[in-house]
């Protein structure tokens, strides 16, 4: 497992999301209601960037393309048209910075 730097602590405000370039696939990091989550940035249903989705403060995000909704904690698809989950990753804060463990 390796750490991918996201930003300094406090730079990702509540209600914000950001895309983080990472190999082999970009990540999306969210601050939903003050809780940090990370998923693959690509929607499980198609070619959409989840970091551009509609983030709610209840730990869910809606895909910007076809409006499937996902649980950020588990990655589970909560409604159609998506049926496959988003892959999720642990987020940690250390030394004043936010990282995703991949
Ligand atoms: Fe996300 Fe279709 S691309 S729901």
């Amino acid at each position: 497992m390796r750490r991918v730097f996201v930003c300094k602590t406090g730079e990702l405000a509540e209600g914000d999301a950001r895309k983080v370039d990472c190999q082999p696939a970009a990540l999306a990091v969210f601050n939903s209601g003050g809780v940090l989550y990370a998923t693959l940035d690509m929607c499980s249903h198609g070619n959409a960037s989840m970091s551009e989705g509609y983030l709610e403060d209840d730990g869910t995000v809606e895909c910007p393309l076809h409006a499937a909704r996902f649980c950020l904690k588990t990655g589970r698809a909560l409604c159609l048209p998506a049926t496959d989950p988003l892959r999720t990753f642990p987020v940690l804060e250390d030394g004043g910075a936010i990282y995703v463990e991949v």
Side-chain angles (χ1 to χ4, degrees), residues 43 45-48 50 63 65-68 81-82:
C43 181
H45 179 251
N47 190 15
M50 296 308 300
C63 175
L65 192 54
H66 304 124

Side-chain angles (χ1 to χ4, degrees), residues 42-50 62-70 79-82:
M42 178 82 76
C43 181
S44 66
H45 179 251
N47 190 15
S49 174
M50 296 308 300
E62 182 179 300
C63 175
L65 192 54
H66 304 124
R69 184 155 214 80
F70 295 91
C79 69
L80 295 172

